[in-house]
Amino acid sequence: MGRYVIRRLLQAVLTLSVVLFMLHYLMSLAIQINGNPVRTFFGDKPVSDELLQATMEKFNLDDPCLKSVGDPCWGMFTDRMQQWSHFDFGTDFQSVKIGDSIANAIPVTLTIFAITTVVWALFGVTAGVLAAMNRGRFIDYLVRIGTTFTLAIPGFLMLILVQNIFGVIIGNWFREQFGRESFLSLIFQPTYSAKAPFLSLVIPGIALGVFGIAGITRLSRTSMLENLRSDFVRTAKAKGLKRTRVTIVHTLRNSLIPVVTVIGFALGDALGGSVVLEGLYNIPGLGLLAFNGVKTNDTAVVIAVVALASVVFMVTNLIVDLFYAVLDPRIRYE
Amino acid sequence: MADVKFQSEILPELDPSAPLLDVRDLQVEFRTRDGIAKAVNGANFTVNRGETLAIVGESGSGKSVTSQAIMGILETPPAKIAGGEVLFHGVDLLTLSKERKRRVRANHVAMVFQDALSALNPVYTVGFQLAELFRKHRGMSKAEAKKKSLELLDLVKIPAAAQRINEYPHQFSGGMRQRVMIAMALALDPDLLIADEPTTALDVTVQAQIMRLLAEIQAERQMGLILITHDLGVVADVADKISVMYAGRIVEQAPVLDLFGKPAHPYTKALLRSIPRLDTKGQKLEVIEGLPPVLTNIPPGCAFAARCHYAQDVCRTDIPLLETVAADRAAACHFSAEVINGE
Amino acid sequence: MSDVSTPKPSKQRSLWSDAFHDLRKRPTVIVSVVVLLVVFAIAFFPSLFTSVDYKQCDIALTKAGPVSGHPLGFDEFGCDLYSQAIYGAGPSIQLALMVVVITLLVGGFIGVLAGFYGRWVDAIFSRIVDIFSSVPFLLGSILLLAMFRDVDLPLISGQFELIIPAVLTLALFGWTNTMRLIRASVMEARSQDYVHAARSLGAADGRIMFRHILPNAMAPVVSLIPLSIGGLISAEATLSFLGLGIKPPSITWGIMISNGAGWFTGGYPRLLIVPSIFLIVTVLAFVLLGDAIRDALDPKLR
Amino acid sequence: MRTKRVMSAIAVAAIAGLVVSACGSGGDDAGSGSQELNLGLGEPKNLVPPNVGESEGGEVTRLVYSGLYTYNNDGSLKPVIAEGQPTSTDNKVWTIKLKSGWTFQNGEAIDANTFKKAWDYTVYGPNANSGSYFFNKITGFADTQSGADPDGDGPQKGAEPKAKELSGVKVVDPTTIQITLDTPWVVFPALLGYTAFYPTADACRAQIEACNEAPIGNGPFKFVGKWEHKTSIKLEKWSDYKGEQPSYQKLNFTIFTGSNNSQWAPFEAGSLDIAAPTPDKYESAKQKYGDRMIEADSPSTWSLGFPSYDNIYKDPKVRQAFSLAVDRQGIIDAIFTGRGKPLATFIPTMIPGYTEGTCATYCKTDPAAAKALLDSSTWPKGKKVELWINSGGTGEKILKAIGDQLAKNLGVEYEMKNIEWNDFLQKKQDHKLTGPFFTGWQPDYADSENYMGPLYYSGAKDGSDNDFGYYNADFQKLMDEGNAAPTIAEAHAKYTAAEKILTETLPVAPLYTGRTSTVIGDKIDFKSVDRNPILGGIDFVKIKLK
């Protein structure tokens, strides 16, 4: 196990360094093609060369390699990595420490993801299990139709509708009925509110959860179905165990194994969804940070955030794999 | 031991004088896309205390479905019990409520499955799966249950049971796993044990050990034992009587020696010919030509007619009934007399 | 013992033909196939469905309701909503098909190589897959397209010029899935008897891989094709919504939704609902078809 | 500030001119009647006056800092720290008297010297302040700038500036400042209300970056804590303020960096009390909040710019044809639900120097005339029109609508070139835009000169130093004469004559002026809301909470 973890971590470090370099290269290429981003600082007023130069120096964008398209800018890369090794992630175009921006954004995004995961685990898995247990009956059809529709409605469209319907229409009704500070009013908000940071994230988090819930539900259902049909469940029944025990102890536990893996991957997809979600709800999380960074060509921000995302993604998957071994004793990582 | 159980509140209406298990005209259907498949089409047999019945037949002949119907663990739907009775000491198990059926399982009737690797839950230790029975049915504490489980593992002759009890099924060899299955089935002292192809997945040497173990335990506890198999050779030594199943029906029923000596049904005869035997070395093994009928579309008349050397026109129109052909034996063939007498 | 007597029918052939027979009978399949045929016809021959030029807009008709010849009325620019929706199908469908073909070819080829040769070939490709999959699909696509949204691609022009960047980006992050699936099934197939047989008959690696193994390893991927086309259409709409996809005056459902979203609660819900219905029905048809194929190929999961 | 920062307003606020800065909202804790006003805001770029260059930064700066003057609703100067209006006998040397007793929030006193030090800092080249631009007509400005690029091949360190101080600014006594211009300019005082002329404390300039995060102001409000980037800015009443004090205690800005319309939804949810509905929500907003909606024309103008440097667009007939082909009212009705005003001048109504109908000939819709003009021009038949814009915002919709009309009325095909703001700026300045582009202008000071001089006046005969490549000798001459005129009235007459030349030659086709519709939440005393058409926003200091 220990050796396996070390091997995986080494692989992750290798992957991460390639990802980092690719990001660096792509961002440099974007600057080489699109022009130096510091130009935007001055609006469309004429800027003296020296002013431009001073600003570029300030943001470490004065390397001449940024002028020749295709240059990998090795120097900049090694400088940045050296800086990173001291846990210094540089500053963004507003001279704000990127480390601080990320530190502020992480709890927000994590909150969303926690809610999303809870939605998947609670609603997704439950719906899948219920459908499997009632295969061919009304609940099963309901769940299957429901998941089909959530698959067919693009995420951003759903988010728009959720924002308008739950945040505005229903939310306003609650606010009229119970006042603006009431629990329901705070939950049904159309945008993130710094006053109620957790409550205003509940609906967006659920909406993001609905984004990937179909996969979880369907997997839970097929996995349950497979196990319900399995020999060991038949054995459990032959042992005269109660239905609830057969379902929960002997079927659900086994069925969760593949679901856990998929939740790991789905969280990665949700990161993409969070770019749309955070933009729409004005949530100061990692997705918005990255997207705004890309829009302004703020290299340092983009590289830091995406690298973080991929670290989180890889670590999540490692944890999922290890958890897999806990859930399924047949798996031994050597 | 049996007397104690007769006062158990699970089945107060038991009739101790009735046979341990009496299956009468059991019919099981499956609803499939292609229509209704008659998996069991009127099965009749009895098992008494201390007796071993072997049910023999090809896969798909309905033996496993019969055993699961007795256990009450058929999935309904798609399965449906279309008729018949399963009398356990005179009580029809089929008419019991779900809850009572559940409590009959393991307490009175237990089952050993074919592939122990898949029949044991891979994610729990062997100890957990054994102890579960004592804890849930007998309300024992963890420690007590573990002690009882260890005793059981010793009983089925698993070496170093104290260590192995904390291992997972995949860490056991095939034979050892099957012993665990048997231990589990015996845990609550059932009156009837059904072993569904208990040795199919095992090596020949291990097969013998497991059969011996089953026979020993059965003798010691005076249980009824139903052995389900497609392999006549396996049961020759342990069974008292044999029922042969074909396409959902019992086609022949006889004490083991009679059946081996003089089969009364052409299908039995063909089965016997396809067993490799030490004394007939060098002789070509026979293969039964053709396929068993599709269960959704069983032809009128004898289901075996299409593959039968003896078949006449009558076989294709009239279903032969299971009729007594000699003392203690019955066969369902229009020409059983000819068959029993050879040619 | 029945095993002794019954010759086993070729598993794959019966799998595919069973699946086909099974599919033909299902109403959802019939409905989705009909819908998809219509959608494809719309995407490739839009002029069959409308004679109105979608680029012919009269601002004076802004958001006007249906009139004769314009059954769905006009959008905010006074363009005919129906012809916009018809012409909006093309780019999405073309993009989705192109991405699927590329991911199948690239992912399939690499997956077969990695699965067949194993060892270092597999190790190298698996690391590459790690790299691509460590940046989530949609996030990666959004970032990459945003970075290079202004870049003119050389050598390509016309309609394709507009969708190629999105195609390449989505394919870049999409092939890993196909590769993983194919790799897994090739690994399974590699050790099977018919492969050994072919090998003992002296077949070359290439022939074994692509003539013997690949057709058998395709099943899990095939059922995913309609689903991923549906997913890609959604993804394209998302990118258009973010302003990263096709640009006006070319039209896609995503752009229509993006333009219409605000008017939903602003008094003209039609501007959002019309393109949404086109989009949802199309994706739904793909999802249903994909489900049906998966069920047919793997009946026990029904 | 002379930034054509309207474009950045599109990029950031994207409500294309309809909302300039009125994006505040009164937060009100239910029932508590708390003295707190919550406003929405885009993320500012900078909060130190010498460097503030866009509307978001300007909005906060004007609350935290006070300058010599601010603007009355008619565009005239309203003294704040200054005592009376600036005076001059020759329009070249201007004298400003100061009130005494004003201090910064850290206790530093404010006198004439404070301003001199602040302005010297602002203009000094190496300090790289975007506000330095506004001082370029003051004597000695050139000496404070770094020399030309030594090797002329792009960004390199220039020579050290000759002077550290602006020689045209003199402290006569602690309450008197004298400013000397290179040449007489009657309009000059109009600049003095702009944030670039606001004072900064010594302590602020000593640590300018820290001061950007937690400004040391001298205005009616002071910072609570720091600028929480992309999250919030919290202000509270500064009770030692010598000027007009707000009647409430706290003002919080929630910063919106997400999608552009995200302020209207929170307003509807009650967490914002002032907001502008997006165009698509305008009609429902008007129905629901009609009596609490303030509608006013904005001083920003929006135009279709032409690349006069491009051979195809060199012919004024092409530009005239394009201008005549556009249905301005149609666009306003469709995209902005009628909120806006077609522009038939280069100067909007509320700006001093406005003259009605200067562009009556070409700033209207006349498809037939347009087609005829195009046919008689040098326009290459079959040429596809490339329309350029920075991506992300309502401007894209406008440009598409324009494209549709060019297609309909002139029979030309068009293609949208939506590119990133950065790229757009660069290409525009490098004269690499190959077709008409969308352009906006928000005034830096309230005078008609500001709508022409900075945009179309050129120092080079080929117009290479303005974005349009526009040069017209008569226009240049009239502008010069206007600048040198002895009175404002005479200056405006000259400017109007110059404007007439623009309306014939059309460096841009004027399109419309925006109209803001701001809804005031019910926790605010509606009568207290005062909207300044020059600053384009609501005076938050005057707002009274119920």
Side-chain angles (χ1 to χ4, degrees):
Chain A
M1 188 74 125
R3 284 179 70 187
Y4 172 79
V5 174
I6 290 170
R7 203 181 75 210
R8 281 285 299 262
L9 286 177
L10 285 176
Q11 277 177 3
V13 168
L14 180 74
T15 308
L16 183 65
S17 9
V18 179
V19 168
L20 278 174
F21 179 72
M22 296 279 287
L23 275 172
H24 163 81
Y25 183 66
L26 287 172
M27 287 302 294
S28 307
L29 201 60
I31 291 177
Q32 287 158 1
I33 295 173
N34 295 344
N36 207 302
V38 298
R39 184 62 195 76
T40 37
F41 293 10
F42 305 96
D44 53 1
K45 165 180 53 167
V47 193
S48 68
D49 284 345
E50 64 155 5
L51 184 48
L52 214 50
Q53 178 68 15
T55 319
M56 286 186 204
E57 269 167 32
K58 188 170 165 194
F59 294 105
N60 290 328
L61 290 167
D62 56 332
D63 198 303
C65 74
L66 290 175
K67 289 188 158 183
S68 53
V69 175
D71 191 317
C73 294
W74 273 110
M76 288 180 74
F77 182 64
T78 49
D79 287 352
R80 172 168 289 124
M81 291 302 105
Q82 228 151 39
Q83 213 186 351
W84 278 29
S85 64
H86 305 113
F87 292 96
D88 175 4
F89 299 98
T91 58
D92 68 10
F93 285 165
Q94 287 174 301
S95 305
V96 180
K97 282 192 177 142
I98 294 171
D100 293 350
S101 305
I102 290 181
N104 289 333
I106 283 180
V108 177
T109 300
L110 275 190
T111 310
I112 297 177
F113 279 22
I115 297 169
T116 299
T117 314
V118 168
V119 168
W120 287 341
L122 271 182
F123 297 99
V125 173
T126 311
V129 169
L130 282 179
M133 304 274 303
N134 297 286
R135 186 177 174 206
R137 297 200 202 125
F138 178 71
I139 291 183
D140 190 19
Y141 284 113
L142 197 71
V143 168
R144 293 185 72 184
I145 291 170
T147 55
T148 309
F149 270 92
T150 53
L151 275 178
I153 300 176
F156 73 97
L157 188 54
M158 187 145 57
L159 293 177
I160 292 173
L161 295 177
V162 166
Q163 187 182 31
N164 276 306
I165 294 170
F166 289 92
V168 180
I169 299 175
I170 297 181
N172 284 356
W173 188 79
F174 281 135
R175 278 177 278 275
E176 269 169 35
Q177 297 297 312
F178 311 116
R180 285 174 176 167
E181 302 295 313
S182 71
F183 182 73
L184 285 171
S185 308
L186 291 176
I187 282 194
F188 287 87
Q189 301 227 36
T191 51
Y192 174 75
S193 155
K195 272 195 220 159
F198 178 74
L199 290 182
S200 59
L201 287 177
V202 170
I203 298 270
I206 293 176
L208 190 65
V210 174
F211 209 50
I213 203 167
I216 309 280
T217 307
R218 288 169 154 218
L219 187 66
S220 310
R221 178 178 173 274
T222 42
S223 180
M224 269 305 272
L225 278 182
E226 237 164 53
N227 282 313
L228 279 173
R229 208 178 284 116
S230 70
D231 289 350
F232 56 79
V233 168
R234 196 182 53 188
T235 308
K237 284 188 204 156
K239 280 158 90 174
L241 297 173
K242 283 188 183 147
R243 186 175 151 96
T244 47
R245 187 168 176 92
V246 174
T247 309
I248 292 169
V249 178
H250 286 278
T251 320
L252 187 59
R253 162 80 198 269
N254 298 61
S255 308
L256 283 182
I257 297 171
V259 177
V260 166
T261 331
V262 163
I263 286 184
F265 275 103
L267 277 178
D269 288 343
L271 258 177
S274 71
V275 174
V276 183
L277 176 82
E278 292 178 7
L280 214 53
Y281 275 84
N282 194 50
I283 298 168
L286 287 172
L288 196 55
L289 197 60
F291 192 57
N292 284 336
V294 169
K295 282 209 294 197
T296 51
N297 271 337
D298 202 334
T299 316
V301 176
V302 177
I303 296 184
V305 177
V306 180
L308 176 74
S310 81
V311 167
V312 170
F313 190 59
M314 286 188 278
V315 171
T316 312
N317 279 310
L318 177 59
I319 293 172
V320 163
D321 282 353
L322 296 180
F323 196 50
Y324 208 95
V326 175
L327 282 177
D328 188 346
R330 284 167 297 184
I331 292 171
R332 282 282 165 272
Y333 295 120
E334 305 299 332
Chain B
M1 182 158 55
D3 298 332
V4 178
K5 275 201 179 172
F6 274 53
Q7 283 145 28
S8 95
E9 78 276 21
I10 306 172
L11 294 170
E13 65 271 49
L14 288 185
D15 173 7
S17 62
L20 175 65
L21 184 76
D22 189 359
V23 175
R24 292 187 186 160
D25 194 31
L26 182 66
Q27 302 193 17
V28 184
E29 297 173 352
F30 281 84
R31 254 173 287 156
T32 72
R33 266 168 192 274
D34 303 318
I36 290 175
K38 294 186 174 168
V40 180
N41 204 357
N44 290 287
F45 52 84
T46 51
V47 185
N48 290 309
R49 247 168 217 288
E51 193 177 49
T52 301
L53 166 73
I55 301 181
V56 183
E58 289 170 289
S59 39
S61 60
K63 357 174 261 288
S64 290
V65 174
T66 307
S67 63
Q68 286 177 37
I70 297 167
M71 288 296 292
I73 56 172
L74 270 179
E75 268 206 64
T76 48
K80 184 188 163 202
I81 294 178
E85 290 175 311
V86 173
L87 300 171
F88 180 80
H89 275 304
V91 180
D92 186 358
L93 295 181
L94 297 180
T95 59
L96 295 181
S97 71
K98 270 193 174 170
E99 176 61 14
R100 290 184 75 197
K101 258 189 223 168
R102 176 180 75 75
R103 299 182 64 186
V104 168
R105 290 201 284 273
N107 280 302
H108 291 290
V109 188
M111 190 155 175
V112 174
F113 293 98
Q114 173 176 355
D115 181 2
L117 181 59
S118 62
L120 289 168
N121 195 323
V123 306
Y124 296 107
T125 60
V126 158
F128 175 92
Q129 298 184 56
L130 272 169
E132 183 179 45
L133 283 161
F134 297 113
R135 302 193 60 201
K136 294 296 155 191
H137 288 286
R138 296 281 183 269
M140 289 186 192
S141 72
K142 251 185 174 175
E144 281 175 304
K146 187 172 178 183
K147 199 170 140 250
K148 290 287 279 181
S149 309
L150 269 175
E151 283 172 19
L152 275 174
L153 291 181
D154 283 337
L155 177 75
V156 296
K157 298 177 182 141
I158 288 182
Q163 293 154 34
R164 307 219 68 179
I165 194 163
N166 290 324
E167 292 183 0
Y168 290 93
H170 69 275
Q171 291 165 304
F172 284 69
S173 69
M176 287 299 145
R177 270 198 294 266
Q178 198 55 280
R179 283 170 199 262
V180 173
M181 269 315 291
I182 293 170
M184 212 182 283
L186 294 174
L188 302 183
D189 250 334
D191 305 292
L192 175 67
L193 179 64
I194 304 175
D196 185 358
E197 312 236 9
T199 61
T200 312
L202 304 175
D203 293 342
V204 181
T205 47
V206 184
Q207 277 186 6
Q209 290 169 9
I210 295 292
M211 289 314 281
R212 207 173 306 135
L213 176 69
L214 274 175
E216 273 173 28
I217 290 170
Q218 190 251 353
E220 190 183 305
R221 302 199 169 195
Q222 283 299 299
M223 301 180 297
L225 175 62
I226 300 179
L227 267 175
I228 290 176
T229 179
H230 64 261
D231 190 348
L232 268 172
V234 174
V235 295
D237 300 334
V238 286
D240 298 315
K241 55 185 188 185
I242 295 183
S243 290
V244 178
M245 258 186 124
Y246 185 79
R249 288 174 190 275
I250 304 285
V251 294
E252 179 168 4
Q253 212 158 274
V256 70
L257 290 177
D258 296 352
L259 184 120
F260 275 81
K262 286 186 169 179
H265 194 281
Y267 176 62
T268 316
K269 198 164 180 176
L271 274 183
L272 286 170
R273 289 222 185 109
S274 62
I275 304 173
R277 292 172 67 149
L278 289 175
D279 51 344
T280 54
K281 218 173 185 178
Q283 195 177 317
K284 201 177 144 205
L285 278 182
E286 274 190 33
V287 166
I288 308 177
E289 299 287 338
L291 295 171
V294 180
L295 293 177
T296 47
N297 187 20
I298 298 175
C302 176
F304 189 63
R307 305 166 80 181
C308 183
H309 297 305
Y310 295 89
Q312 306 280 334
D313 288 346
V314 63
C315 299
R316 295 184 188 95
T317 51
D318 295 357
I319 300 178
L321 298 174
L322 191 63
E323 281 164 353
T324 308
V325 292
D328 290 338
R329 38 186 321 193
C333 179
H334 295 296
F335 303 100
S336 48
E338 288 88 330
V339 181
I340 209 164
N341 297 324
E343 306 319 306
Chain C
M1 95 185 21
S2 61
D3 298 31
V4 183
S5 53
T6 24
K8 216 173 183 182
S10 156
K11 190 187 158 213
Q12 292 304 328
R13 183 183 298 155
S14 78
L15 178 68
W16 291 106
S17 65
D18 277 2
F20 181 67
H21 281 281
D22 181 56
L23 286 174
R24 273 196 320 195
K25 282 186 280 185
R26 293 165 167 240
T28 54
V29 173
I30 296 164
V31 172
S32 23
V33 167
V34 169
V35 168
L36 291 182
L37 286 177
V38 174
V39 169
F40 279 115
I42 287 176
F44 290 100
F45 310 104
S47 52
L48 292 180
F49 293 84
T50 174
S51 54
V52 180
D53 179 0
Y54 76 99
K55 284 185 180 169
Q56 210 41 267
C57 310
D58 183 354
I59 197 95
L61 293 170
T62 175
K63 301 182 288 286
V67 292
S68 148
H70 303 279
L72 299 177
F74 299 87
D75 75 358
E76 105 186 271
F77 301 102
C79 309
D80 178 58
L81 201 57
Y82 173 71
S83 73
Q84 293 250 318
I86 293 295
Y87 279 88
S92 315
I93 305 280
Q94 285 162 14
L95 172 135
L97 291 181
M98 284 163 84
V99 174
V100 163
V101 168
I102 295 175
T103 51
L104 276 184
L105 289 179
V106 175
F109 184 73
I110 294 178
V112 170
L113 286 188
F116 187 76
Y117 288 109
R119 295 169 190 272
W120 63 267
V121 180
D122 185 33
I124 288 176
F125 283 123
S126 296
R127 289 290 81 70
I128 295 178
V129 167
D130 277 357
I131 290 165
F132 280 99
S133 48
S134 72
V135 180
F137 177 73
L138 194 55
L139 181 68
S141 308
I142 289 173
L143 296 189
L144 202 59
L145 278 172
M147 275 182 219
F148 296 103
R149 66 205 302 195
D150 301 345
V151 179
D152 287 325
L153 284 171
L155 303 176
I156 313 157
S157 60
Q159 173 91 321
F160 286 128
E161 184 186 1
L162 298 168
I163 58 174
I164 289 296
V167 167
L168 292 180
T169 310
L170 292 173
L172 188 67
F173 289 97
W175 66 275
T176 55
N177 248 340
T178 320
M179 183 272 184
R180 259 193 285 240
L181 280 172
I182 297 264
R183 171 180 169 272
S185 24
V186 168
M187 281 185 150
E188 203 185 312
R190 184 176 59 173
S191 54
Q192 283 179 5
D193 290 345
Y194 65 94
V195 176
H196 292 307
R199 196 187 291 276
S200 64
L201 289 173
D205 283 358
R207 194 178 163 79
I208 295 175
M209 275 187 272
F210 295 102
R211 293 300 292 276
H212 295 275
I213 295 184
L214 189 59
N216 293 304
M218 284 301 285
V221 179
V222 165
S223 61
L224 276 182
I225 290 176
L227 281 174
S228 46
I229 294 180
L232 285 164
I233 292 173
S234 288
E236 191 278 331
T238 310
L239 293 176
S240 290
F241 174 73
L242 292 174
L244 299 175
I246 291 166
K247 292 170 184 176
S250 293
I251 193 76
T252 75
W253 294 332
I255 293 176
M256 293 178 74
I257 289 173
S258 173
N259 285 335
W263 297 107
F264 179 63
T265 48
Y268 299 94
R270 179 171 45 98
L271 302 187
L272 176 65
I273 290 173
V274 168
S276 300
I277 287 179
F278 272 84
L279 178 64
I280 291 173
V281 167
T282 305
V283 178
L284 191 62
F286 277 112
V287 170
L288 287 174
L289 184 65
D291 277 2
I293 293 180
R294 194 204 51 204
D295 285 358
L297 288 175
D298 198 352
K300 69 177 178 345
L301 296 185
R302 237 173 247 150
Chain D
M1 73 183 184
R2 219 164 169 128
T3 61
K4 304 160 198 175
R5 67 173 135 77
V6 211
M7 288 309 295
S8 64
I10 303 182
V12 179
I15 312 176
L18 297 196
V19 183
V20 177
S21 58
C23 31
S25 81
D28 42 322
D29 295 337
S32 69
S34 119
Q35 293 292 294
E36 205 172 286
L37 184 66
N38 285 336
L39 305 172
L41 189 74
E43 168 85 349
K45 284 208 165 96
N46 205 294
L47 291 182
V48 286
N51 214 359
V52 166
E54 26 68 61
S55 43
E56 283 75 19
E59 181 160 344
V60 178
T61 311
R62 279 199 299 272
L63 294 169
V64 177
Y65 291 89
S66 279
L68 293 167
Y69 297 97
T70 184
Y71 298 104
N72 286 314
N73 287 0
D74 63 357
S76 62
L77 284 182
K78 175 186 179 185
V80 181
I81 302 181
E83 186 80 64
Q85 299 287 327
T87 53
S88 174
T89 50
D90 56 0
N91 291 342
K92 190 168 186 252
V93 180
W94 294 87
T95 306
I96 302 154
K97 299 295 281 181
L98 269 62
K99 290 173 190 150
S100 50
W102 285 60
T103 62
F104 282 102
Q105 286 156 1
N106 67 351
E108 249 181 68
I110 298 174
D111 59 14
N113 245 314
T114 310
F115 284 95
K116 171 148 180 66
K117 281 186 286 183
W119 296 348
D120 285 342
Y121 171 83
T122 306
V123 296
Y124 186 64
N127 290 339
N129 284 313
S130 61
S132 67
Y133 199 71
F134 293 89
F135 295 81
N136 67 358
K137 287 199 163 81
I138 299 176
T139 305
F141 177 79
D143 291 344
T144 59
Q145 301 304 298
S146 312
D149 185 2
D151 50 6
D153 66 346
Q156 288 292 323
K157 275 206 167 37
E160 189 79 355
K162 281 191 211 138
K164 289 206 156 186
E165 296 183 8
L166 199 52
S167 60
V169 177
K170 273 204 195 93
V171 175
V172 178
D173 63 57
T175 57
T176 313
I177 308 173
Q178 198 183 68
I179 301 171
T180 308
L181 306 179
D182 284 334
T183 54
W185 189 25
V186 69
V187 175
F188 175 71
L191 270 68
L192 292 170
Y194 189 63
T195 47
F197 289 86
Y198 280 15
T200 43
D202 291 346
C204 175
R205 290 190 305 276
Q207 282 187 299
I208 198 78
E209 287 188 2
C211 186
N212 186 38
E213 301 302 311
I216 304 165
N218 65 337
F221 288 95
K222 62 180 184 186
F223 253 65
V224 181
K226 283 170 59 171
W227 172 10
E228 298 292 335
H229 283 275
K230 292 168 188 156
T231 309
S232 65
I233 288 174
K234 292 195 165 72
L235 305 178
E236 67 183 5
K237 175 178 171 176
W238 182 44
S239 41
D240 293 340
Y241 184 60
K242 292 275 187 303
E244 185 181 4
Q245 292 233 6
S247 65
Y248 56 95
Q249 293 299 321
K250 285 181 175 172
L251 195 164
N252 300 327
F253 286 104
T254 302
I255 299 177
F256 289 83
T257 57
S259 297
N260 305 314
N261 60 2
S262 48
Q263 290 187 28
W264 181 246
F267 171 81
E268 291 231 274
S271 56
L272 292 181
D273 266 339
I274 300 180
T278 48
D280 42 33
K281 301 291 183 292
Y282 171 72
E283 284 181 0
S284 56
K286 175 129 189 158
Q287 274 188 346
K288 198 167 165 189
Y289 308 103
D291 57 335
R292 300 194 66 84
M293 186 186 269
I294 297 180
E295 297 199 73
D297 292 326
S298 115
S300 40
T301 60
W302 304 83
S303 313
L304 187 66
F306 294 109
S308 297
Y309 47 81
D310 190 305
N311 274 332
I312 295 171
Y313 296 96
K314 214 167 224 159
D315 186 351
K317 282 183 179 169
V318 174
R319 312 201 290 256
Q320 290 159 358
F322 275 39
S323 180
L324 284 171
V326 177
D327 176 3
R328 293 165 177 78
Q329 189 64 49
I331 293 177
I332 291 166
D333 289 345
I335 315 287
F336 298 131
T337 42
R339 291 177 306 159
K341 217 153 95 180
L343 201 51
T345 56
F346 275 65
I347 320 293
T349 20
M350 76 290 281
I351 298 297
Y354 162 80
T355 309
E356 201 183 328
T358 49
C359 186
T361 323
Y362 296 114
C363 299
K364 62 178 181 186
T365 323
D366 188 344
K371 188 84 176 96
L373 265 172
L374 193 72
D375 289 343
S376 68
S377 73
T378 58
W379 178 257
K381 287 242 155 24
K383 165 83 185 165
K384 200 177 210 179
V385 181
E386 290 179 334
L387 296 172
W388 294 80
I389 189 167
N390 62 304
S391 45
T394 311
E396 288 180 296
K397 288 190 170 187
I398 311 241
L399 204 64
K400 175 178 169 358
I402 291 174
D404 288 343
Q405 292 176 23
L406 295 179
K408 181 168 165 268
N409 296 335
L410 297 177
V412 294
E413 269 196 68
Y414 76 98
E415 184 183 344
M416 295 269 283
K417 295 280 204 182
N418 327 35
I419 58 175
E420 270 302 294
W421 178 224
N422 181 40
D423 205 14
F424 182 78
L425 285 179
Q426 196 77 55
K427 282 202 162 73
K428 186 157 92 158
Q429 225 157 52
D430 296 349
H431 288 185
K432 283 187 177 152
L433 301 179
T434 55
F437 48 93
F438 192 60
T439 178
W441 179 250
Q442 185 174 351
D444 298 318
Y445 44 87
D447 194 275
S448 58
E449 189 274 341
N450 189 238
Y451 286 84
M452 298 186 287
L455 292 167
Y456 315 115
Y457 194 92
S458 172
K461 294 231 165 183
D462 59 354
S464 59
D465 57 353
N466 65 43
D467 289 347
F468 309 92
Y470 178 81
Y471 178 84
N472 184 299
D474 294 341
F475 168 74
Q476 309 269 102
K477 191 166 149 274
L478 285 166
M479 287 302 288
D480 287 341
E481 287 171 12
N483 289 348
T487 66
I488 292 272
E490 286 166 80
H492 283 162
K494 291 289 181 188
Y495 291 149
T496 303
E499 187 191 352
K500 279 300 281 182
I501 291 171
L502 294 182
T503 63
E504 297 293 326
T505 50
L506 293 181
V508 303
L511 294 172
Y512 64 90
T513 52
R515 187 170 173 80
T516 57
S517 311
T518 312
V519 180
I520 310 296
D522 50 14
K523 290 295 158 67
I524 296 174
D525 178 5
F526 191 69
K527 288 195 290 290
S528 71
V529 177
D530 179 31
R531 194 185 169 287
N532 186 315
I534 305 298
L535 293 170
I538 287 167
D539 188 340
F540 298 126
V541 177
K542 283 186 182 155
I543 276 183
K544 289 195 172 61
L545 302 180
K546 276 185 196 166

